[in-house]
Every structure is written in C-alpha cells, then in structure tokens.
Amino acid sequence: MSRQQTLTELESVLESFLDRVVAVKEQRLEVLDGINRLDDIARRIDRGDELTDQIGNWFAEHNRWLSEGTLRQADTTRISRILDQIGSRLEKAEETTPAMTKIAAEIERWQRQAGGEKKIVLTRGPETAPKSDTERPGSLARFADQLQRLTARFDDLAGSSQHVLSALDDALTSAERQQNKDALILSALIIYSLKQENYKVEPYVKRLRAAERRIQGGRTDA
C-alpha cells in the first residue's frame, strides 16, 4: 500500500471517528436541553402559570427516551424529581381539568417505566389566603434554589465531559443557543475558577459576553 493510500485510509478512519463523536455530543446536548426545558416549565408552574399544553408537548417529544436507552441514571433521577414537583403542583390545584388529569396520567406512566411508583391524586384543594410578603421566599431562598440548579446542571455536563473545559464549552453552547441564564451563570463561574488557575480564558470570555448580549437583547428563560 502506498503512502498516499495509507494517508487516505487514515483520513477516512479519522472522519468516521469524528462523525461518531459529534453524533454522541449532539445527542447529549439534546438530552440536557430537554431536561432543562422541563425544569423551566416546572419553575413557571410554581409561579402559578398554566402550562399543561407545554408539559404535554414535552412528553410527546421525549417519551422515546425511555425506550431508546438515551438517559443516564442521573438524567432519570433528575427528570423524576422534576416530574414529582409538577405532580405535587397539580395535586394542590383548586380545580382539576381534563388536561391536568391527562398530564397526571403521563407522569405516573413515566415514573413507572423509569422505576418509580408515585401515584398522583387530583382533588380540589382547600381555599387559602394569599401569602403575605413576609411569607414569600426571599432573595436568599431564590439564590439557594439557583445554586441547586447550577449544581445539577454542572453534574450533567461533567458526566459527559473529560475535562472542565469541555463542560465549559457545553455550558456556553447552551447559553448561546438556548439563551439560558443558568448556563450563562455557570459558564461565568467556571471561567472565573479557571482564571484563578492561570488558564487562558480570553476566547471563552468573548463567547460569554456575546451570549450575555444575546440574552439581554432577546427573550430569556428567566
């Protein structure tokens, strides 16, 4: 085999390998984006928004994950926790609609297939007076909640990365493509940490600033 033939064959093998790596990375990003989207829906429900259509659409788009073996154990655990949060919100609703009943059934089906056995009972909740300002979660509680979300997001990224720079790249990609504030903040934290260890972070800082301008200038997920 000539030198040119050897180089051509090696190039073909390398291209095939890179194609597989890209496919795996894209699939992982799809999973992370899907979970983050469900988390966003759950947080908006906690603020009182009616989002049964969006939850239904989420199930329609992602039910295949259970049969394809796409999810890692950490993914399954996080999704189950978010669905428990949504289910609890549905149980406390003052009025039960057909759409809510359907969503509750979908949550139960997902939890069964994922290994959980939570049963959701929808009933009319007791009338309660509006919370006073002193009873609402303050800035400390909101910040603690955000830290938990950032930790969960970093755990997801770290599970699919070999180095913190790979996790940073994925976080910046999510901030750029999804205009996700949590991903933006996580990216800033990682960049700051790397800077303390004397990494060259200038290219990442430029991406961070560009993503921040995009979020500030367009629709955000806040």
Side-chain angles (χ1 to χ4, degrees), residues 32 78 81 147-157:
L32 294 177
R78 186 179 173 199
R81 185 172 65 247
L147 285 179
Q148 290 181 346
R149 297 198 308 272
L150 294 178
T151 299
R153 181 180 290 270
F154 180 76
D155 288 342
D156 288 338
L157 296 177

Side-chain angles (χ1 to χ4, degrees), residues 49 53 75 107 126-127 131 145 147 158 161 177 196 217 219:
D49 294 349
D53 287 343
D75 299 331
I107 292 176
E127 298 292 335
K131 292 184 177 180
D145 181 63
L147 285 179
S161 304
R177 295 181 180 177
Q196 301 309 304
R219 182 185 63 82

Side-chain angles (χ1 to χ4, degrees), residues 95-113:
E95 295 183 4
T96 300
T97 66
M100 292 169 60
T101 301
K102 184 176 180 180
I103 294 302
E106 283 294 310
I107 292 176
E108 289 179 19
R109 186 184 65 80
W110 180 288
Q111 301 286 44
R112 278 198 308 273
Q113 294 188 31

Side-chain angles (χ1 to χ4, degrees), residues 12-214:
S12 176
V13 172
L14 179 59
E15 288 179 351
S16 177
F17 171 75
L18 291 176
D19 287 342
R20 292 196 298 271
V21 170
V22 170
V24 171
K25 182 68 69 174
E26 288 180 347
Q27 183 185 64
R28 189 62 192 156
L29 286 175
E30 179 189 353
V31 170
L32 294 177
D33 287 341
I35 296 176
N36 290 333
R37 178 183 163 198
L38 181 64
D39 188 39
D40 292 340
I41 292 173
R43 284 189 283 133
R44 291 169 63 190
I45 288 177
D46 283 341
R47 294 198 297 263
D49 294 349
E50 176 60 54
L51 301 171
T52 51
D53 287 343
Q54 291 190 28
I55 303 173
N57 291 336
W58 189 92
F59 277 118
E61 294 175 16
H62 301 100
N63 271 333
R64 55 186 173 80
W65 283 354
L66 291 173
S67 59
E68 291 179 351
T70 303
L71 300 176
R72 301 177 180 181
Q73 183 58 47
D75 299 331
T76 302
T77 300
R78 186 179 173 199
I79 291 173
S80 295
R81 185 172 65 247
I82 296 172
L83 291 178
D84 283 344
Q85 180 182 348
I86 294 174
S88 296
R89 183 70 185 186
L90 294 178
E91 290 177 338
K92 296 175 183 178
E94 294 183 359
E95 295 183 4
T96 300
T97 66
M100 292 169 60
T101 301
K102 184 176 180 180
I103 294 302
E106 283 294 310
I107 292 176
E108 289 179 19
R109 186 184 65 80
W110 180 288
Q111 301 286 44
R112 278 198 308 273
Q113 294 188 31
E117 294 294 337
K118 183 176 176 61
K119 179 71 174 178
I120 300 175
V121 179
L122 299 183
T123 58
R124 181 181 177 87
E127 298 292 335
T128 57
K131 292 184 177 180
S132 67
D133 291 340
T134 58
E135 293 176 321
R136 292 172 181 167
S139 58
L140 289 176
R142 291 194 298 271
F143 183 68
D145 181 63
Q146 185 173 55
L147 285 179
Q148 290 181 346
R149 297 198 308 272
L150 294 178
T151 299
R153 181 180 290 270
F154 180 76
D155 288 342
D156 288 338
L157 296 177
S160 61
S161 304
Q162 297 297 321
H163 192 277
V164 68
L165 290 175
S166 299
L168 172 58
D169 182 70
D170 288 345
L172 283 169
T173 298
S174 181
E176 292 163 345
R177 295 181 180 177
Q178 305 298 322
Q179 300 185 27
N180 188 290
K181 279 190 175 180
D182 283 348
L184 183 74
I185 295 171
L186 178 59
S187 299
L189 289 173
I190 296 175
I191 289 173
Y192 182 79
S193 177
L194 290 173
K195 186 176 181 180
Q196 301 309 304
E197 298 180 18
N198 297 319
Y199 278 83
K200 294 181 179 180
V201 297
E202 288 78 8
Y204 298 104
V205 172
K206 290 181 180 179
R207 290 180 60 187
L208 180 73
R209 289 173 176 169
E212 183 179 20
R213 287 194 297 270
R214 184 177 179 184

